[in-house]
Amino acid sequence: MSLTVNGLDELKKLAGGDLGTSEWIEVTQERINTFADATGDHQWIHVDPERAKEGPFGAPIAHGYLTLSLFIPLFTELLDVQGVTTKVNYGLNKVRFPSPVKAGSRIRLVAKLAEVEEVPGGVQITVEGAIEIEGAAKPAAVLQSLSRFYA
């Protein structure tokens, strides 16, 4: 369920609060293959299901950066900022991939709006997130994401 705020002042009031949990999405082998085509990373651990069965994870796994790239669609389920002219990704402070995402697994985002700080013309937010894997003890990714919103 998306939380909608209107403008930077309302966004600032959310600092330190939980943003909630996104819906689950499936990371299919087709999605993994498409990512491999887009990036040129066709390592067998990702794109060769038969060989990957014999590999260290027993199945093909998603690229770590594919998992990371899914942060944005998952995040937009949680927070919708209206009344701004521009929304941009600014970067990442920390990213770790504690557990691989096997093809066919479902993932979701749990996030907190850790910080909202003023920048010229707008605000920068720091979101602390964990991309969870359904049924797994460890998350697929933990991260701090930076975004900027301009009035």
Side-chain angles (χ1 to χ4, degrees):
M1 184 169 92
S2 180
L3 175 62
T4 300
V5 297
N6 191 2
L8 301 179
D9 289 337
E10 285 187 23
L11 182 59
K12 291 175 191 175
K13 292 176 184 176
L14 297 178
D18 287 331
L19 295 174
T21 304
S22 73
E23 295 295 323
W24 293 104
I25 63 169
E26 185 178 357
V27 180
T28 63
Q29 185 64 52
E30 180 181 3
R31 185 185 295 254
I32 293 168
N33 294 345
T34 300
F35 188 84
D37 290 342
T39 61
D41 182 353
H42 292 94
Q43 186 183 87
W44 64 268
I45 195 89
H46 305 302
V47 298
D48 186 341
E50 290 306 312
R51 186 173 176 196
K53 284 180 188 176
E54 305 304 319
F57 305 108
I61 61 169
H63 306 70
Y65 286 111
L66 167 55
T67 303
L68 182 61
S69 74
L70 294 172
F71 170 80
I72 292 300
L74 294 168
F75 176 70
T76 58
E77 285 186 31
L78 301 181
L79 181 63
D80 180 20
V81 181
Q82 299 289 315
V84 297
T85 62
T86 308
K87 305 172 187 181
V88 296
N89 296 321
Y90 191 69
L92 299 160
N93 284 337
K94 298 177 185 178
V95 178
R96 297 290 183 268
F97 302 110
S99 187
V101 178
K102 293 180 182 179
S105 296
R106 295 190 332 154
I107 62 171
R108 69 180 180 185
L109 174 66
V110 177
K112 175 183 177 181
L113 183 55
E115 187 176 0
V116 180
E117 60 185 297
E118 300 272 344
V119 296
V123 298
Q124 176 173 294
I125 67 170
T126 302
V127 174
E128 294 177 352
I131 298 176
E132 300 179 334
I133 306 166
E134 189 174 39
K138 293 181 183 178
V142 291
L143 61 118
Q144 280 188 343
S145 174
L146 306 175
S147 298
R148 289 193 173 182
F149 297 85
Y150 295 97

